[in-house]
Amino acid sequence: MAILSSIIAWSSQQLRAQNIKQIGDAEQIHQRTWSTVWRIPTERGDYFAKQTSGFARFEPALADFLQRVYPPSAPQIVAIDSENGWMLMPDAGTRLRESLVASLDWSYWETILPQYAQLQIVVIPYTETLCNLHIPDRRLTTFTDQFANLVQQRSNFALFSDAQYQQLHDSVSIVREKVTALASLPIPQSLHHGDLHDANIFYTPQPDSTPQYRFYDWGDASLSHPFFSLRTAYVSAEIRFGLPENDFQLHRLRDAYLPAWSAYASHDDLQRAFALASQVWAISSMFSWYTAIDHMTNSDKEAHAHVLSSLAEELLSALTQT
């Protein structure tokens, strides 16, 4: 209750400072152990107060940084309180999810992904700044060692048989080879969203021009290989378009995304890097889920006990692909 009264009071104060009149009480619309969101009605439409904690506490400072260095695709932020993990945002517009429910049109993703890649490219020079924001460092130099440490904890894969767990344990050396090969290619590491699905992408429809998309909910972000972000985009598209895993149509996302990186590598190297990244990107999701599960209540932990094993199965399957 103290957090609620504090963040709502702070949000009301920020709105008054910008001469925005609040016309109703704040309503809680989202709650997780690490983040809670309230809707605040105002004379200028809804505003949203978000409180972050634990592993996601860096999100307000990251969102503010992105708004400063690349405002076209960054979350719109009215105010932040980094010490408390608070931020205040105006309504972001239309969610991609609702647009895809209304019309299963690939052109949405084909427009979005070059814009997302451009954001990743813009922040490449700011690695030190991002580290200072306490974003998890999962760059390729330590990626495999972090994976090995995760695998060593047998309890993370309690649903695995001993044979399955041994296969996962043995995969560490293969992952190291893949990651070393990926690191040898000339694509710089950058900001990885970690949860790039169709409910975290917003836009304001433009009748006479291509809309500019904005990317929200950066609580799973990390410094890592930029191509890892497409794993969640692939899963999101699979669900929305009703496709089987690894369906050939998903290559449309890859082909929309990769050209933005052509200044860094040849077409062949980009294709090679993407193939390598797709073989190990499940590990990046394992890191995010491990962190999230660690911050859940016991009942939620039980409900999500299968996730790491499922992602490990995805990894083992991907490592057999050429």
Side-chain angles (χ1 to χ4, degrees):
M1 184 60 70
I3 291 177
L4 169 59
S5 60
S6 296
I7 188 173
I8 298 307
W10 171 82
S11 298
S12 297
Q13 181 183 34
Q14 298 301 321
L15 291 169
R16 287 195 299 273
Q18 299 198 34
N19 296 315
I20 301 171
K21 183 180 179 181
Q22 185 173 334
I23 58 174
D25 294 334
E27 174 192 6
Q28 183 177 296
I29 60 171
H30 169 88
Q31 184 172 24
R32 296 287 186 272
T33 306
W34 53 88
S35 70
T36 307
V37 179
W38 292 268
R39 180 191 291 115
I40 304 173
T42 82
E43 61 184 356
R44 301 187 194 176
D46 290 337
Y47 279 69
F48 296 86
K50 185 171 185 178
Q51 177 261 327
T52 62
S53 61
F55 70 88
R57 198 179 189 88
F58 64 80
E59 186 186 352
L62 174 58
D64 182 59
F65 163 77
L66 292 175
Q67 183 174 248
R68 285 184 282 111
V69 299
Y70 197 61
S73 293
Q76 291 182 296
I77 307 296
V78 172
I80 68 165
D81 182 328
S82 295
E83 183 176 349
N84 287 304
W86 298 343
M87 57 181 161
L88 180 65
M89 302 168 285
D91 192 316
T94 302
R95 283 199 314 178
L96 173 61
R97 177 165 295 177
E98 278 67 45
S99 294
L100 288 173
V101 168
S103 174
L104 287 175
D105 187 344
W106 283 100
S107 67
Y108 286 109
W109 277 113
E110 290 168 337
T111 302
I112 287 163
L113 290 173
Q115 294 182 11
Y116 175 70
Q118 188 58 39
L119 181 150
Q120 291 181 299
I121 290 167
V122 165
V123 303
I124 287 170
Y126 296 96
T127 300
E128 184 175 350
T129 301
L130 292 170
C131 287
N132 289 337
L133 295 178
H134 306 294
I135 295 168
D137 187 346
R138 294 168 183 154
R139 284 173 285 184
L140 299 186
T141 49
T142 61
F143 190 83
T144 306
D145 288 339
Q146 292 184 54
F147 171 59
N149 289 337
L150 184 64
V151 171
Q152 286 295 331
Q153 302 174 59
R154 179 67 171 94
S155 60
N156 291 328
F157 309 96
L159 300 183
F160 265 16
S161 67
D162 288 344
Q164 287 175 306
Y165 178 70
Q166 185 62 50
Q167 185 182 6
L168 179 63
H169 190 276
D170 293 344
S171 75
V172 173
S173 60
I174 303 171
V175 167
R176 194 175 300 279
E177 292 175 4
K178 302 289 185 182
V179 169
T180 299
L182 180 58
S184 73
L185 295 167
I187 295 95
Q189 293 173 80
S190 183
L191 188 62
H192 161 43
H193 185 282
D195 203 18
L196 191 67
H197 59 68
D198 58 19
N200 286 335
I201 303 170
F202 291 76
Y203 71 106
T204 301
Q206 304 291 334
D208 300 319
S209 62
T210 301
Q212 182 67 48
Y213 291 87
R214 294 181 181 275
F215 305 100
Y216 280 75
D217 201 0
W218 290 87
D220 288 310
S222 63
L223 281 170
S224 198
H225 198 283
F227 294 4
F228 290 165
S229 289
L230 262 70
R231 179 194 172 271
T232 311
Y234 268 44
V235 172
S236 184
E238 285 172 0
I239 294 170
R240 200 63 51 215
F241 287 85
L243 299 174
E245 188 174 342
N246 299 319
D247 187 87
F248 74 94
Q249 293 185 75
L250 294 169
H251 293 325
R252 299 177 68 151
L253 306 188
R254 177 200 63 192
D255 295 342
Y257 175 76
L258 288 184
W261 297 91
S262 59
Y264 295 95
S266 67
H267 172 81
D268 288 348
D269 277 350
L270 289 172
Q271 294 286 327
R272 190 174 299 114
F274 192 85
L276 287 165
S278 67
Q279 288 185 299
V280 299
W281 63 21
I283 297 172
S284 185
S285 293
M286 289 170 70
F287 290 150
S288 295
W289 273 105
Y290 171 77
T291 304
I293 291 170
D294 190 50
H295 285 77
M296 290 178 181
T297 62
N298 287 335
S299 59
D300 283 341
K301 285 181 179 180
E302 292 176 5
H304 291 85
H306 67 284
V307 174
L308 290 178
S309 295
S310 178
L311 287 166
E313 289 177 345
E314 178 185 327
L315 170 68
L316 293 174
S317 175
L319 290 175
T320 65
Q321 299 172 17
T322 57

